[in-house]
Amino acid sequence: FFQYCLSGHPTLPCNVLKFKSTTIMLDCGLDMTSTLNFLPLPLVQSPRLSKLPGWVLKDGSTFLDKELKECSGHVFIDSVPEFCLPETELLDLSTVDVILISNYHCMMALPYITENTGFTGTVYATEPTVQIGRLLMEELVNFIERVPKAQSASMWKNKEVQRKCYTMPEVNAALSKIQLVGYSQKIELFGAVQVTPLSSGYALGSSNWIIQSHYEKVSYVSGSSLLTTHPQPMDQASLKNSDVLILTGLTQIPTANPDGMVGEFCSNLAMTVRNGGNVLVPCYPSGVIYDLLECLYQYIDSAGLSNVPFYFISPVANSSLEFSQIFAEWLCHNKQTKVYLPEPPFPHAELIQTNKLKHYPSIHGDFSNDFKQPCVVFTGHPSLRFGDVVHFMELWGKSSLNTVIFTEPDFSYLDALAPYQPLAMKCVYCPIDTRLNFIQVSKLLKEVQPLHVVCPEQYTQPPPTQSHRTDLMIDCQPPPMSYRRAEVLTLPYKRRYEKIEIMPDLADSLVPLEIKPGISLATVSAVLHTKDNKHVLQLPPKPPQPPASKKRKRVSDDVPECKSLKPLLSGSIPLDQFVQTLEKHGFSDVKVEDTGKGHIVLLQEAETLIQIEEDSTHIICDNDEPLRVKLRDLVLKFLQKF
Amino acid sequence: CPSPLSPGAGQDVGRSCILVSIAGKNVMLDCGMHMGYNDDRRFPDFSYITQNGRLTDFLDCVIISHFHLDHCGALPYFSEMVGYDGPIYMTHPTKAICPILLEDYRKITVDKKGETNFFTSQMIKDCMKKVVAVHLHQTVQVDEELEIKAYYAGHVLGAAMFQIKVGCESVVYTGDYNMTPDRHLGAAWIDKCRPDLLITESTYATTIRDSKRCRERDFLKKVHETVERGGKVLIPVFALGRAQELCILLETFWERMNLKAPIYFSTGLTEKANHYYKLFITWTNQKIRKTFVQRNMFEFKHIKAFDRAFADNPGPMVVFATPGMLHAGQSLQIFRKWAGNEKNMVIMPGYCVQGTVGHKILSGQRKLEMEGRQILEVKMQVEYMSFSAHADAKGIMQLIRQAEPRNVLLVHGEAKKMEFLKQKIEQEFHVSCYMPANGETTTILTNPSIPVDISLGLLKRETAIGLLPDAKKPKLMHGTLMMKDNSFRLVSPEQALKELGLTEHQLRFTCRVHIQDPRKEHETVLRVYNHLKGQDYSVQHLPDGSITVESILIQATAHSEDQGTKVLLVSWTYQDEELGSYLTSLLKKGLPQSTS
């Protein structure tokens, strides 16, 4: 049992588990932080970004000045942005049998894994995960492709781990390999392993996975939440009795309380709008945005914001809002019951109906006609390197009336802002990360009690910037096994049993004996068949009747070696009863001697001696087979067979 | 052994309620009402289930396959009036829609007809509190042994087939299903789960229906012709299900032909019904699911809400009205108004239960006795179009092929047709097929193999010993099966002893073999050694002068009285008895003359 660790990013994991001769990839997250090194891709020609000076090395050499530009005191790559892929050297991707996806954020590298790699396996994910994952990929591809960049820099690179964005045909091909699954659905893999997704409470359709055989259980916990937001609550009980629990996707901002952040978000938004400024919320097109819209739905009237337009701009804005309303079965109880009325589970339906929330595929087209200020704009991408958000940063950055509020925790907001400095616009950082924090983790681990915990190395030490906070790490016994990118771990298992089936006719032939109250035993001699990792015990074939002819030898060739094996014996011989039995069977001259450790029974005429002790019996006689067999059977009467 | 008892659905379509006992667990499948009766006979006779004792104690769970009243109509009566507090399982859409249809039916029966001894609104609510919603393919653990799993059945929104499993015994109950996708639902699907018993509906046991397209064209033609000549078309439907399919059909036709005649849908349930379809769009067919963001198929442009007053409007119109069998409510009211005019038409798009007006007119009756001895003469055209989404004979065979059951049981159909299908199934699949009457119990014996835990040590030891070049050759294994509190473990005999805290009792034999040999003892030993080592065993000559053959020990001593005779002591344990016994008899024959 091995785990290959292909990603070093704790919230965008990619691990491969070798478990009972199956190769299972757990998630394939795409690390997009690399895009922060690139210049933003403006939707509208930006005079500022197009006239940046080339970067000159200290020694004056300029061979990189076409590719690297200086902007706001930092150096950026002037090129189509590239992403950091999971490690692909560690194992042959064509050997991966299945990929299990835990949530839509953790599948963004899927086309890189399944396309042009020889991958022939199956991907398992829930329906919301696939649908929303598709929207995220579609948005990403759209953002990158609609701003064709003349150059694709390559000189700055020193390693080939970064790759350009995939295309829609690749996305469609990758998604076609997905098989939809439901929570608590048991999926059999090759008869050897069963995998089951469980609700993880983090996002629509997000799941943790149980990977188990009859006797080993690995729990894969990735991106889970105990907070009550829109998704179905986390299923904790099913994680119990795990041999190994792989723990990834904890909160990236362990010190921030999501509820407090939402409060701050609302008050900053209201203050800016009241002062006549605009609010920009860089975000993903699905997820926390649903919760923010719901908060605003409850908040805007009391805050006097009823006349402020809310714009949601994304190529997939409409789809995301529509899809959110049709996955009632994957939502928390409150939202589920709304559907029974029947009402849409999310109140943003009402915001749209009353024209308070409007959605557009991009800033071009209808939006430019409808656009009224002051307003609130939700748009992507949270890295501020591509998407419509780049336009609003350029447009609103110079006025201190405006505010950009960061809610997504995936990118450092200071790094994201770097190419836009100096900024007059206010910047508010309200990261909302509902995933487990360390207090919740330790409670969870106490509750489900796995034998071993495996986690990324980042979780085994305090964050580098807060080295005194020893509470911001996983604390459990035995201490967790940690992994880092490109490492192979051997997982600790102690397997003792395997499942085997006893065929009905064999079962009928067994003779169970009650040895102790409540415990019965039966000796089994049977033929073992093993096929497709399943073991079956059958009645041994009857020994062939010796044919009349002398060709005996040949017949036995086909029969398995049915050498009848003698059972083990247990118990002790009660002396008096044994002597009585001997006498009953015609031994009239029995003499008994005491030896201290036991007794010796002498049969004088037969010149036979039987040593009887607590745990042994020794029959010493002349070479008289009938006599020996007779004595043996008398002894066996007093013993139990195993 | 699963043994289904059917207090409801036997050979008469109308009321589904089946009791299955499987490996000691009792599960009730559906709890339907018979639409043809207005008295006690409309509910299943639950005294079949348990004469005395509470239903909650006897039943482990209740499963409802879909929201049609002939499958769930008796549920509040059963749970609140007879008394059942255990879990009731159904899918999310069924849970959402079922209480609305129940309330609708209650209103017609109690408020309009003034019947008593019927469940109340509060009872419907209390009953629904006992419902646990299940996802498709989710394995629901009812208790430690009993698990159920839902499969997509088509038929109506949220309809499901259920697998009921205890240990390695299982039953699949189909409810109503259809094996061909229609305009709004997908086709039923099940994996090769090989149940011991498949309980399948057989409403259309002998029909092999012509292609869907033909029927649709036929339907549209008839509606169009009637409207063209200024007639009115009444389509009695249930609010949810066929109604939506026919609405989609007419909507697209009206759009294409640019027709102006109004289409109405009797109010109340309609709008709500379409909302359910929008919110549960993941349960519809692939095409609708794929395009719903751009165009939601359940937002109709041409179909308007119906008002009672419209029935008297002059000119052509099409009206969808509930209920579907013309046994009560708005559809019956409109029917009475329009029946006298031969320009009008009523299209029955589904099956009608015996006793209903729908059934009467379909069987050719044209003079109906209504309430108050009034005679209604039916002059309007009566058309029957099978749009109800049941599997036909081909579909039933297809499902059997998918699931590969060991036995099949037919319910919800007519005896004659079922008999025909039964023969066909037995012929093609070589499985037993049953068709019990109402209240009859069928017992099916299963012969399951028994899963046990085998210690890995034993399994590895056995596979290691048995690992011949020909791995396919069966291997014989020896072990001890330990049975304790329903847990079965196969371990090595040594481990069994150890776990029970017992010590082994060693039984040893030592036989004296007398041999004529005047030579020194060690020379005798050497001769014995040479004699035995030619055999197929591992033979060793030890420094202390003894010989071992495998685990059998041989020592030589001089005879106390006769120097020319040596005594060989051959000693072995009970476990090596065969070899020990064989060696003594071999040595008894004497040693060959020394060749050295």
Side-chain angles (χ1 to χ4, degrees):
Chain A
F1 300 107
F2 298 105
Q3 180 184 331
Y4 295 75
C5 313
L6 311 188
S7 162
H9 197 301
T11 36
L12 298 167
C14 185
N15 292 303
V16 173
L17 203 62
K18 293 230 178 190
F19 184 83
K20 284 201 76 179
S21 73
T22 50
T23 306
I24 302 170
M25 178 177 279
L26 305 169
D27 281 332
C28 43
L30 183 62
D31 189 350
M32 291 199 242
T33 48
S34 59
T35 59
L36 293 173
N37 301 319
F38 290 78
L39 274 182
L41 291 179
L43 272 177
V44 180
Q45 180 80 353
S46 156
R48 187 180 73 94
L49 291 172
S50 55
K51 287 195 196 119
L52 292 173
W55 186 58
V56 183
L57 283 172
K58 279 199 183 113
D59 61 6
S61 59
T62 58
F63 70 98
L64 280 171
D65 72 340
K66 283 260 167 1
E67 295 196 351
L68 301 183
K69 297 278 173 183
E70 201 170 330
C71 175
S72 312
H74 290 85
V75 178
F76 293 95
I77 307 156
D78 186 14
S79 158
V80 183
E82 302 195 353
F83 310 119
C84 186
L85 261 59
E87 203 68 42
T88 47
E89 300 292 297
L90 215 51
L91 89 167
D92 181 358
L93 289 176
S94 68
T95 63
V96 173
D97 297 310
V98 296
I99 303 178
L100 308 181
I101 305 289
S102 56
N103 61 67
Y104 45 76
H105 285 298
C106 291
M107 63 185 282
M108 293 299 279
L110 195 63
Y112 295 123
I113 305 287
T114 61
E115 302 314 299
N116 312 315
T117 56
F119 173 82
T120 55
T122 311
V123 186
Y124 292 98
T126 63
E127 185 169 2
T129 300
V130 177
Q131 297 298 1
I132 296 172
R134 176 195 297 276
L135 297 183
L136 291 181
M137 291 181 180
E138 226 178 280
E139 186 191 61
L140 185 66
V141 172
N142 188 293
F143 282 165
I144 303 279
E145 285 183 355
R146 75 182 178 190
V147 190
K149 192 91 183 167
Q151 71 171 345
S152 163
S154 58
M155 306 231 297
W156 59 274
K157 277 201 264 195
N158 48 15
K159 255 176 84 188
E160 265 298 321
V161 287
Q162 299 215 348
R163 284 259 294 277
K164 268 192 277 185
C165 189
Y166 33 74
T167 61
M168 261 338 267
E170 284 170 329
V171 170
N172 289 329
L175 294 179
S176 72
K177 298 182 170 72
I178 299 183
Q179 195 163 322
L180 299 183
V181 294
Y183 289 149
S184 305
Q185 178 177 348
K186 295 174 178 172
I187 303 137
E188 294 282 340
L189 305 180
F190 316 109
V193 182
Q194 194 182 60
V195 296
T196 310
L198 306 172
S199 175
S200 78
Y202 166 57
L204 258 175
S206 71
S207 18
N208 292 322
W209 288 86
I210 302 288
I211 301 120
Q212 63 188 339
S213 69
H214 287 293
Y215 300 97
E216 310 72 11
K217 178 169 171 178
V218 177
S219 291
Y220 175 57
V221 175
S222 164
S224 299
S225 178
L226 292 171
L227 297 180
T228 320
T229 57
H230 58 273
Q232 216 182 90
M234 178 181 177
D235 178 353
Q236 295 183 64
S238 306
L239 299 172
K240 282 183 183 166
N241 303 319
S242 301
D243 298 292
V244 173
L245 186 141
I246 303 170
L247 187 60
T248 65
L250 304 184
T251 174
Q252 302 190 73
I253 322 286
T255 48
N257 166 15
D259 282 335
M261 288 295 137
V262 171
E264 245 175 78
F265 168 82
C266 287
S267 60
N268 276 295
L269 183 144
M271 200 144 59
T272 305
V273 176
R274 268 190 225 119
N275 293 334
N278 301 296
V279 177
L280 178 63
V281 187
C283 63
Y284 293 114
S286 176
V288 176
I289 185 168
Y290 302 145
D291 298 315
L292 291 178
L293 288 175
E294 184 155 3
C295 286
L296 290 172
Y297 168 80
Q298 291 157 356
Y299 181 74
I300 44 178
D301 287 330
S302 63
L305 301 174
S306 342
N307 296 319
V308 178
F310 289 78
Y311 300 119
F312 176 17
I313 303 170
S314 159
V316 298
N318 185 27
S319 299
S320 166
L321 293 171
E322 290 286 338
F323 270 114
S324 68
Q325 306 288 20
I326 65 157
F327 292 126
E329 291 164 68
W330 307 85
L331 294 173
C332 64
H333 183 73
N334 274 345
K335 298 218 176 306
Q336 249 178 41
T337 45
K338 276 196 145 185
V339 182
Y340 294 163
L341 294 177
E343 275 170 24
F346 285 98
H348 53 240
E350 201 184 316
L351 287 176
I352 295 169
Q353 228 167 27
T354 54
N355 265 327
K356 284 176 183 155
L357 173 66
K358 294 183 176 185
H359 53 83
Y360 302 90
S362 88
I363 52 167
H364 301 301
D366 291 346
F367 175 71
S368 38
N369 302 327
D370 300 352
F371 183 41
K372 283 193 193 72
Q373 305 193 62
C375 64
V376 180
V377 170
F378 294 87
T379 189
H381 185 271
S383 65
L384 306 191
R385 291 302 178 273
F386 41 83
D388 301 86
V389 74
V390 174
H391 175 73
F392 288 100
M393 284 306 294
E394 294 280 310
L395 185 72
W396 290 343
K398 292 165 212 85
S399 165
S400 61
L401 282 178
N402 302 328
T403 305
V404 53
I405 309 181
F406 291 90
T407 55
E408 301 287 356
D410 285 356
F411 301 92
S412 143
Y413 79 105
L414 289 174
D415 291 347
L417 287 171
Y420 299 97
Q421 298 294 0
L423 271 178
M425 178 184 211
K426 273 198 294 289
C427 302
V428 178
Y429 183 52
C430 304
I432 297 166
D433 194 332
T434 57
R435 286 171 282 203
L436 297 176
N437 63 34
F438 290 101
I439 298 166
Q440 292 164 331
V441 164
S442 79
K443 242 180 100 186
L444 175 75
L445 291 179
K446 269 195 199 112
E447 184 112 354
V448 306
Q449 297 205 323
L451 290 181
H452 301 277
V453 174
V454 176
C455 67
E457 62 173 352
Q458 289 92 330
Y459 296 159
T460 59
Q461 61 217 21
T465 51
Q466 293 157 292
S467 53
H468 61 289
R469 294 290 300 267
T470 49
D471 57 326
L472 300 183
M473 55 187 271
I474 293 176
D475 179 27
C476 66
Q477 275 311 321
M481 297 177 66
S482 70
Y483 67 82
R484 62 175 75 177
R485 190 178 166 105
E487 206 169 56
V488 181
L489 281 188
T490 308
L491 299 183
Y493 288 104
K494 245 199 202 149
R495 194 153 72 101
R496 301 244 293 279
Y497 286 94
E498 182 70 79
K499 213 56 161 187
I500 196 164
E501 281 194 5
I502 297 185
M503 295 301 280
D505 48 351
L506 173 63
D508 287 344
S509 77
L510 297 179
V511 191
L513 274 177
E514 188 161 21
I515 299 292
K516 282 183 173 180
I519 304 178
S520 300
L521 295 187
T523 53
V524 179
S525 282
V527 181
L528 173 69
H529 283 276
T530 300
K531 197 185 164 192
D532 294 342
N533 294 312
K534 297 227 189 288
H535 307 290
V536 174
L537 278 183
Q538 286 179 340
L539 211 56
K542 295 228 168 60
Q545 293 299 317
S549 70
K550 283 163 200 158
K551 292 181 187 168
R552 243 201 208 170
K553 259 256 159 108
R554 295 199 47 212
V555 180
S556 60
D557 283 354
D558 297 335
V559 182
E561 286 178 60
C562 294
K563 205 172 68 177
S564 65
L565 195 88
K566 287 285 192 300
L568 294 186
L569 303 172
S570 182
S572 52
I573 311 284
L575 185 71
D576 293 344
Q577 285 175 44
F578 182 60
V579 169
Q580 279 168 25
T581 309
L582 284 175
E583 285 168 346
K584 225 195 304 181
H585 283 80
F587 297 98
S588 51
D589 54 347
V590 183
K591 229 177 102 184
V592 178
E593 285 172 19
D594 200 336
T595 60
K597 276 164 106 187
H599 298 87
I600 291 181
V601 177
L602 271 169
L603 309 176
Q604 291 169 320
E605 194 190 332
E607 285 189 56
T608 295
L609 192 142
I610 306 169
Q611 286 178 347
I612 297 177
E613 289 177 16
E614 186 63 29
D615 293 326
S616 66
T617 300
H618 193 171
I619 299 172
I620 303 158
C621 60
D622 268 337
N623 187 12
D624 179 350
E625 191 68 4
L627 171 71
R628 186 188 69 81
V629 169
K630 188 172 179 183
L631 291 174
R632 177 197 71 189
D633 291 343
L634 293 178
V635 169
L636 287 179
K637 274 189 181 175
F638 295 96
L639 297 173
Q640 291 160 336
K641 293 179 183 182
F642 285 83
Chain B
C1 58
S3 74
L5 166 76
S6 55
Q11 296 148 354
D12 167 23
V13 189
R15 186 179 60 185
S16 287
C17 186
I18 299 167
L19 182 74
V20 169
S21 301
I22 170 171
K25 302 281 170 185
N26 299 312
V27 178
M28 193 165 94
L29 304 169
D30 279 335
C31 190
M33 65 158 58
H34 199 299
M35 315 287 265
Y37 296 118
N38 289 324
D39 50 26
D40 286 350
R41 286 175 295 171
R42 80 176 128 219
F43 294 133
D45 186 355
F46 294 112
S47 61
Y48 268 123
I49 297 178
T50 159
Q51 305 299 339
N52 33 35
R54 282 157 34 88
L55 286 169
T56 313
D57 299 332
F58 181 76
L59 290 175
D60 293 282
C61 73
V62 172
I63 292 170
I64 301 295
S65 65
H66 64 283
F67 60 64
H68 277 159
L69 292 176
D70 56 338
H71 289 260
C72 70
L75 198 57
Y77 168 78
F78 163 77
S79 75
E80 306 311 305
M81 295 170 81
V82 181
Y84 169 76
D85 299 318
I88 302 168
Y89 294 97
M90 51 179 84
T91 65
H92 282 268
T94 307
K95 187 184 173 186
I97 295 164
C98 172
I100 289 160
L101 296 185
L102 286 170
E103 178 59 27
D104 196 52
Y105 190 75
R106 191 200 64 79
K107 269 192 200 147
I108 291 176
T109 323
V110 178
D111 298 352
K112 290 217 173 121
K113 293 193 188 163
E115 284 184 41
T116 48
N117 193 24
F118 207 76
F119 48 77
T120 63
S121 292
Q122 190 56 44
M123 283 177 184
I124 298 175
K125 282 185 191 132
D126 292 341
C127 167
M128 292 316 289
K129 281 184 197 143
K130 296 170 186 170
V131 171
V132 183
V134 301
H135 295 254
L136 281 183
H137 301 162
Q138 172 193 8
T139 302
V140 180
Q141 213 72 44
V142 177
D143 59 34
E144 257 175 42
E145 289 112 32
L146 174 62
E147 59 180 52
I148 61 171
K149 181 179 179 182
Y151 292 93
Y152 190 79
H155 186 62
V156 288
L157 194 72
M161 310 187 276
F162 279 89
Q163 182 193 43
I164 300 111
K165 199 171 165 194
V166 182
C168 41
E169 291 177 71
S170 66
V171 172
V172 167
Y173 172 60
T174 65
D176 290 349
Y177 62 102
N178 64 318
M179 296 297 287
T180 42
D182 62 28
R183 281 183 185 262
H184 75 304
L185 296 172
W189 177 86
I190 194 162
D191 51 18
K192 208 179 279 307
C193 54
R194 297 197 175 94
D196 293 296
L197 176 64
L198 175 79
I199 304 175
T200 174
E201 65 135 336
S202 50
T203 314
Y204 290 122
T206 51
T207 335
I208 292 181
R209 286 178 296 170
D210 46 0
S211 89
K212 191 104 193 173
R213 293 262 159 231
C214 287
R215 266 177 294 143
E216 286 178 1
R217 217 178 305 133
D218 225 30
F219 169 78
L220 291 171
K221 199 175 141 211
K222 277 179 182 141
V223 172
H224 192 195
E225 280 170 6
T226 310
V227 171
E228 286 287 277
R229 67 167 179 260
K232 295 178 167 64
V233 182
L234 171 64
I235 308 170
V237 286
F238 287 102
L240 289 124
R242 239 20 49 204
Q244 278 67 32
E245 187 186 1
L246 296 179
C247 282
I248 292 174
L249 195 61
L250 280 190
E251 167 93 4
T252 39
F253 187 69
W254 250 237
E255 182 93 29
R256 200 176 69 219
M257 305 294 287
N258 199 18
L259 297 179
K260 293 286 180 272
I263 306 174
Y264 298 113
F265 204 124
S266 68
T267 39
L269 289 178
T270 336
E271 253 170 295
K272 254 189 174 180
N274 290 340
H275 265 300
Y276 283 116
Y277 277 85
K278 282 187 229 166
L279 294 170
F280 285 111
I281 211 131
T282 54
W283 285 79
T284 60
N285 70 30
Q286 201 153 17
K287 197 182 150 204
I288 293 183
R289 274 181 2 226
K290 261 195 168 157
T291 55
F292 91 104
V293 175
Q294 291 79 41
R295 170 164 167 35
N296 197 316
M297 287 295 265
F298 299 102
E299 274 161 21
F300 300 116
K301 260 197 348 217
H302 296 274
I303 301 170
K304 310 252 157 40
F306 181 74
D307 186 288
R308 201 183 295 181
F310 294 175
D312 298 321
N313 285 359
M317 68 174 83
V318 180
V319 175
F320 289 94
T322 58
M325 299 184 191
L326 284 181
H327 55 280
Q330 201 156 39
S331 62
L332 188 59
Q333 277 174 21
I334 299 172
F335 174 75
R336 289 167 83 159
K337 275 193 176 152
W338 294 357
N341 190 340
E342 60 276 3
K343 268 206 292 189
N344 297 340
M345 179 183 280
V346 58
I347 301 180
M348 306 297 298
Y351 190 90
C352 288
V353 163
Q354 225 164 27
T356 61
V357 171
H359 189 267
K360 284 177 192 158
I361 58 168
L362 281 184
S363 45
Q365 220 173 308
R366 288 295 174 266
K367 285 198 171 126
L368 302 171
E369 191 186 314
M370 306 308 281
E371 280 155 38
R373 300 237 170 134
Q374 225 182 323
I375 300 288
L376 180 69
E377 197 170 340
V378 182
K379 288 188 185 153
M380 77 198 297
Q381 296 179 53
V382 178
E383 294 288 344
Y384 172 70
M385 312 219 93
S386 154
F387 274 101
S388 75
H390 291 277
D392 58 6
K394 213 168 105 196
I396 295 169
M397 301 296 271
Q398 202 180 330
L399 187 85
I400 295 173
R401 209 166 294 127
Q402 274 183 16
E404 285 191 7
R406 295 191 181 89
N407 298 278
V408 176
L409 190 140
L410 304 176
V411 293
H412 219 255
E414 287 163 47
K416 242 192 196 160
K417 297 180 178 174
M418 281 158 82
E419 184 59 46
F420 173 80
L421 184 65
K422 172 179 145 75
Q423 278 173 18
K424 230 179 123 176
I425 290 170
E426 286 179 339
Q427 241 168 42
E428 185 166 339
F429 300 107
H430 309 288
V431 297
S432 307
C433 185
Y434 307 83
M435 31 181 288
N438 269 2
E440 195 183 319
T441 305
T442 311
T443 304
I444 286 139
L445 287 174
T446 57
N447 203 4
S449 44
I450 297 162
V452 302
D453 297 345
I454 182 168
S455 89
L456 211 58
L458 179 63
L459 184 66
K460 285 207 172 131
R461 184 172 85 186
E462 293 297 330
T463 38
I465 294 170
L467 262 190
L468 306 163
D470 179 14
K472 272 184 198 153
K473 193 166 176 187
K475 307 138 198 168
L476 197 69
M477 93 152 24
H478 305 278
T480 303
L481 185 64
M482 297 184 70
M483 289 160 271
K484 187 187 165 192
D485 315 326
N486 281 336
S487 93
F488 291 69
R489 288 185 304 131
L490 188 61
V491 298
S492 63
E494 291 86 349
Q495 193 182 338
L497 274 180
K498 205 176 141 198
E499 283 187 27
L500 289 166
L502 298 176
T503 43
E504 189 191 340
H505 188 105
Q506 224 190 46
L507 175 57
R508 181 167 272 283
F509 304 96
T510 300
C511 274
R512 294 182 289 260
V513 182
H514 298 259
I515 286 183
Q516 294 300 316
D517 188 1
R519 275 168 271 206
K520 289 250 161 65
E521 283 148 31
H522 70 266
E523 287 174 41
T524 311
V525 170
L526 205 62
R527 284 184 67 202
V528 172
Y529 175 72
N530 286 332
H531 179 45
L532 294 180
K533 84 178 169 189
Q535 305 275 343
D536 234 359
Y537 309 104
S538 125
V539 184
Q540 280 184 304
H541 190 177
L542 300 181
D544 69 354
S546 55
I547 298 171
T548 58
V549 180
E550 303 281 343
S551 63
I552 286 141
L553 187 72
I554 303 173
Q555 287 169 309
T557 55
H559 197 278
S560 51
E561 290 150 28
D562 180 4
Q563 284 297 316
T565 305
K566 298 288 177 297
V567 181
L568 295 177
L569 295 173
V570 185
S571 179
W572 68 89
T573 65
Y574 172 63
Q575 283 72 27
D576 294 314
E577 193 176 33
E578 273 179 25
L579 183 58
S581 163
Y582 167 74
L583 286 180
T584 48
S585 59
L586 185 72
L587 290 171
K588 199 177 170 185
K589 288 178 193 154
L591 298 172
Q593 282 309 304
S594 171
T595 46
S596 58

